[in-house]
Amino acid sequence: MTDIATTLSQARAKLSTWQAEAATAAASGASQAQSADAAWDAVAAIEAATAQAEGLRGQILARDDTLAAALAARSATLAEAELARSDGATPPLADATATALRAAVATAAGVTPATKLDGADYKTAVSTVDTAIAALDDTAISDLAAALVTLEAKLQAYEDKEALAEAALAAAESSSAIIADDLSKALIQREAAARLAAAGNKPGAILAYVDYQAARARLTAAAAGAAATKLQTDWNTARDAQLSAAADLLAAQVAVIQGQLALARKRAEMTAKLATRDAVVTAAVDAVLNPPPAPGP
């Protein structure tokens, strides 16, 4: 990975060198005027490129604070979900509550054994419908994904890394809302399952129970320490990749500037030689026309 701090340091070193060279060329007078102008152009260009890279670096690193705030919000929301597992006499998300609800639903629905509610049959029945609905826009999503791939291929590497960093930050920022939504769904479906079971609505009670357990499973996964660690790790990786891309962009800009400067210097050298070209050629022609006499014996 390209380190942006190192690249910035190297760019500043080149800036100092080119400033000195430009000053020296300017002090040499008219004979070095073209070379001096080219050097000052290079100085201005690398100053602009370095300032841009510094700005990008500051913007990227400042977002560490945004991620920290997002993770703090996530932890606070997750704490509310954890209370639903343990607070009160019958916590709505506790394993014991889930087991009792399963027994009630199974009894009301005539399902034996009750554990069958947690098997594949009912979950598959629900997921098949959900999958069919989700598949309705698969073609449109595939077409869009293909279009995005084509677009991304045209973008600069920095823009691609920036998009990945945006996604990582967005995932962290939205995680607390997702947890809150799953908590709400779990509580609503728990009540619905119990109500429908008592009313004798067997299919409705089973559906509500399956959705209740699905929400509980997502909250359990979110509560694992690895979930928050992954959000932090994903951001760190995306952030470092974006910083590296910014460094690569600066390095490429410096290389272009350096090439432009080298070309300008060569052209300045050509101009200087053109100024004395006729005299030099005349002397060469004269030497052919009037070769020096052969050395004597």
Side-chain angles (χ1 to χ4, degrees), residues 92-183:
L93 298 186
D95 290 344
T97 300
T99 299
L101 180 62
R102 181 178 65 189
V105 171
T107 298
V111 175
T112 304
T115 54
K116 189 175 181 180
L117 289 176
D118 290 326
D121 293 345
Y122 298 114
K123 292 180 180 179
T124 299
V126 174
S127 66
T128 298
V129 176
D130 291 341
T131 299
I133 295 172
L136 292 176
D137 63 354
D138 278 354
T139 299
I141 290 175
S142 296
D143 291 344
L144 176 59
L148 287 172
V149 168
T150 301
L151 174 63
E152 288 173 358
K154 304 295 183 180
L155 295 175
Q156 296 179 7
Y158 173 77
E159 293 173 336
D160 183 49
K161 301 303 181 185
E162 183 182 39
L164 294 176
E166 289 284 355
L169 191 61
E173 290 182 311
S174 65
S175 63
S176 61
I178 292 172
I179 292 170
D181 185 61
D182 282 334
L183 173 58

Side-chain angles (χ1 to χ4, degrees), residues 40-244:
W40 284 123
D41 287 344
V43 166
I46 198 170
E47 283 179 334
T50 302
Q52 179 190 36
E54 284 277 18
L56 291 174
R57 180 191 187 198
Q59 291 172 13
I60 295 167
L61 291 177
R63 297 168 78 190
D64 279 343
D65 293 338
T66 302
L67 183 85
L71 291 179
R74 180 184 186 277
S75 296
T77 307
L78 190 58
E80 294 181 18
E82 287 303 301
L83 280 177
R85 297 178 188 277
S86 58
D87 191 35
T90 57
L93 298 186
D95 290 344
T97 300
T99 299
L101 180 62
R102 181 178 65 189
V105 171
T107 298
V111 175
T112 304
T115 54
K116 189 175 181 180
L117 289 176
D118 290 326
D121 293 345
Y122 298 114
K123 292 180 180 179
T124 299
V126 174
S127 66
T128 298
V129 176
D130 291 341
T131 299
I133 295 172
L136 292 176
D137 63 354
D138 278 354
T139 299
I141 290 175
S142 296
D143 291 344
L144 176 59
L148 287 172
V149 168
T150 301
L151 174 63
E152 288 173 358
K154 304 295 183 180
L155 295 175
Q156 296 179 7
Y158 173 77
E159 293 173 336
D160 183 49
K161 301 303 181 185
E162 183 182 39
L164 294 176
E166 289 284 355
L169 191 61
E173 290 182 311
S174 65
S175 63
S176 61
I178 292 172
I179 292 170
D181 185 61
D182 282 334
L183 173 58
S184 176
K185 286 179 179 176
L187 297 176
I188 290 171
Q189 294 305 321
R190 170 181 176 271
E191 296 302 323
R195 184 180 66 257
L196 292 170
N201 186 340
K202 299 177 182 180
I206 291 173
L207 172 59
Y209 174 80
V210 170
D211 287 342
Y212 163 74
Q213 287 289 39
R216 285 184 74 243
R218 291 191 296 271
L219 287 169
T220 298
T229 298
K230 184 178 186 303
L231 290 172
Q232 180 71 66
T233 300
D234 287 350
W235 162 249
N236 289 347
T237 300
R239 176 204 61 204
D240 291 347
Q242 190 180 359
L243 286 169
S244 179

